[in-house]
């Protein structure tokens, strides 16, 4: 009965490949997020979806494309992976507007 | 957009001492201020939060204070224990209420 889950937990791949990370929440939240945590531990918002609609798209290369098939799922697809994409990617969810966000366990992406 | 500054970046205390972490924010419209704890290799987890209509909130050994006029808020941990060792993040929602902006984190080490 995990609240926010992500797959895979680890992802090791070569430069230039395309990969996807999946996220699911069973909390009944209407808003989901993707964060990137770099090697210095800085947590940076990438995208946010509310009821399957994109509401935040920070300055992220267009190689990153989120997709929300329904309110409970938010996937992240990354094309043409680069070394600098290596990081931990966290999915999170919440009710919209000034509420606690619940984080998934993270996906550690390593690009070789 | 919202800018959250957090100090110090590292903090080392002896077991039983108190620890204080301070954050400032830029957007006067911000009205929700959570604190997250992230243990090594784990997800960020909410430990306490405060809304702008409250000046202080306490939960056992943890307390948060908010000064809206000065736009700063602080986390206070009393009687620290080795298991308090982790990275602590403050955050604030921007005026859209859609996304949390995180401080850069404070690495707290509690030595026995």
């Amino acid at each position: 009965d995990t609240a926010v889950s992500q797959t895979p937990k680890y992802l090791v791949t070569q430069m230039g490949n395309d990969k996807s990370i999946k996220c699911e929440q069973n909390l009944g939240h209407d808003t989901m997020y993707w964060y990137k945590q770099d090697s210095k531990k800085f947590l940076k918002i990438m995208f946010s979806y509310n009821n399957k609609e994109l509401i935040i798209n920070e300055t992220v290369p267009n190689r990153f494309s989120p997709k929300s098939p329904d309110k409970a799922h938010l996937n992240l697809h990354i094309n043409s992976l680069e070394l600098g994409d290596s990081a931990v990617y966290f999915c999170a969810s919440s009710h919209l507007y000034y509420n606690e966000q619940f984080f998934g366990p993270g996906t550690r992406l390593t690009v070789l | 957009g919202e800018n959250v500054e957090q100090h110090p970046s590292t903090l080392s205390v002896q077991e039983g001492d108190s620890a204080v972490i301070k954050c400032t924010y830029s957007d006067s419209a911000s009205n929700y201020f959570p604190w997250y704890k992230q243990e090594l290799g784990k997800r960020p987890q909410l430990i306490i939060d405060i809304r702008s209509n409250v000046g202080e909130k306490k939960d056992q050994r943890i307390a948060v204070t908010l000064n809206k006029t000065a736009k700063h808020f602080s986390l206070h941990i009393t009687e620290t224990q080795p298991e308090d060792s982790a990275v602590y993040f403050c955050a604030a929602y921007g005026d859209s209420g859609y996304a949390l902006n995180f401080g850069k984190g404070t690495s707290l080490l509690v030595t026995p």
Side-chain angles (χ1 to χ4, degrees):
Chain A
D1 56 2
T2 305
V4 183
S5 58
Q6 290 177 233
T7 54
K9 190 166 173 63
Y10 299 97
L11 192 49
V12 181
T13 188
Q14 299 283 336
M15 269 197 324
N17 284 350
D18 304 337
K19 290 293 177 186
S20 292
I21 307 171
K22 296 187 175 183
C23 178
E24 176 180 2
Q25 56 95 4
N26 62 5
L27 296 167
H29 290 155
D30 53 12
T31 308
M32 296 184 72
Y33 312 82
W34 278 110
Y35 288 89
K36 179 180 180 181
Q37 186 170 47
D38 60 24
S39 57
K40 294 184 178 178
K41 302 294 185 187
F42 184 46
L43 271 166
K44 178 88 169 108
I45 181 74
M46 299 173 69
F47 302 103
S48 176
Y49 271 74
N50 173 252
N51 286 321
K52 302 193 297 174
E53 289 195 18
L54 181 67
I55 54 173
I56 290 176
N57 184 353
E58 291 295 311
T59 309
V60 176
N62 58 15
R63 298 181 295 104
F64 290 78
S65 52
K67 281 204 177 126
S68 182
D70 56 56
K71 280 198 319 182
H73 295 85
L74 180 62
N75 303 323
L76 183 64
H77 187 76
I78 315 169
N79 288 328
S80 303
L81 279 156
E82 300 177 356
L83 293 175
D85 298 332
S86 294
V88 180
Y89 292 84
F90 285 101
C91 175
S93 73
S94 75
H95 291 297
L96 187 60
Y97 293 131
Y98 307 109
N99 284 296
E100 177 185 357
Q101 293 187 15
F102 292 80
F103 283 78
T107 295
R108 181 174 293 277
L109 171 65
T110 303
V111 182
L112 303 174
Chain B
E2 177 68 274
N3 185 35
V4 179
E5 305 242 343
Q6 182 172 348
H7 300 279
S9 56
T10 59
L11 181 57
S12 184
V13 299
Q14 291 242 307
E15 184 177 0
D17 287 349
S18 295
V20 180
I21 304 170
K22 298 183 178 183
C23 288
T24 60
Y25 61 97
S26 59
D27 188 344
S28 55
S30 293
N31 64 13
Y32 175 69
F33 307 92
W35 284 89
Y36 284 82
K37 176 184 180 182
Q38 186 178 26
E39 295 175 351
L40 191 62
K42 300 283 182 67
R43 74 189 79 191
Q45 291 197 288
L46 183 81
I47 54 171
I48 196 166
D49 55 13
I50 191 167
R51 295 190 185 269
S52 59
N53 57 348
V54 175
E56 184 173 358
K57 184 175 177 181
K58 195 171 179 181
D59 182 3
Q60 298 182 351
R61 296 186 298 108
I62 294 172
V64 57
T65 58
L66 171 65
N67 183 327
K68 280 217 76 179
T69 304
K71 290 191 275 187
H72 66 71
F73 56 115
S74 301
L75 177 72
H76 304 254
I77 307 174
T78 58
E79 300 170 30
T80 53
Q81 300 165 3
E83 49 266 39
D84 294 330
S85 297
V87 179
Y88 291 81
F89 293 94
C90 62
Y93 272 102
D95 57 2
S96 68
Y98 290 151
L100 277 174
N101 294 291
F102 283 85
K104 293 194 174 180
T106 296
S107 180
L108 173 65
L109 177 64
V110 181
T111 52

